[in-house]
Amino acid sequence: MAEGARLESVYTATYREFESLTHRHILEKRRLRASFFVPALYVHRNYRFMSPESKAEKLAENLLLELGSSAESYQFLIPDWEPQDCSMAIRWLKSQIWEGFKVSFEVDSAAKKVYLKSWEEGFD
């Protein structure tokens, strides 16, 4: 029995037939969840100790820095909203953080779109 477990842990990445279905299911969920949105509040190492107002300002600053001088030419897509302009997206982003939600964004430079999302602690 111990030898079988050793085979599964050593050969999982190369030979998928040794991988248990349960293990594969968990890995797929992690890959999907991590592939689309990158947490946007990763840049400040003292993030946990910042006030919500500081967190909101820092995230807005990071987003605007990433977009550069062409921020106004982007379309901001917020779940369940019509596409918004930059100023409304920044207001939404800040309000979500002030209310205690986590927020992240993904910038699609080719399509000139910014995808925003928010979620509650424990639902990520």
Side-chain angles (χ1 to χ4, degrees):
M1 186 68 164
E3 248 178 292
R6 170 85 176 130
L7 279 174
E8 185 172 341
S9 67
V10 172
Y11 295 108
T12 297
T14 310
Y15 304 103
R16 290 192 68 88
E17 60 267 23
F18 288 109
E19 183 179 344
S20 68
L21 291 175
T22 308
H23 187 233
R24 187 179 312 146
H25 177 71
I26 292 168
L27 286 177
E28 289 302 317
K29 271 188 175 178
R30 284 186 188 156
R31 282 187 202 119
L32 288 173
R33 191 171 58 200
S35 64
F36 185 63
F37 283 97
V38 176
L41 297 175
Y42 62 90
V43 293
H44 199 278
R45 64 183 173 168
N46 294 322
Y47 174 73
R48 270 190 304 174
F49 307 109
M50 294 170 68
S51 69
E53 292 80 12
S54 298
K55 290 176 185 178
E57 288 300 324
K58 191 69 175 166
L59 181 57
E61 180 184 314
N62 292 340
L63 176 58
L64 292 173
L65 281 173
E66 189 168 334
L67 298 177
S69 61
S70 62
E72 291 300 325
S73 65
Y74 279 81
Q75 231 183 10
F76 293 81
L77 304 173
I78 301 168
D80 301 324
W81 284 39
E82 295 292 320
Q84 298 295 319
D85 64 357
C86 184
S87 63
M88 186 54 150
I90 295 295
R91 286 176 56 201
W92 176 87
L93 179 146
K94 289 179 178 181
S95 71
Q96 292 297 298
I97 293 173
W98 292 337
E99 291 177 21
F101 292 94
K102 290 186 174 185
V103 178
S104 67
F105 62 85
E106 180 186 14
V107 177
D108 183 351
S109 300
K112 293 283 191 186
K113 292 183 179 180
V114 177
Y115 300 93
L116 296 160
K117 84 169 191 177
S118 69
W119 65 97
E120 289 185 73
E121 183 75 38
F123 291 96
D124 48 333

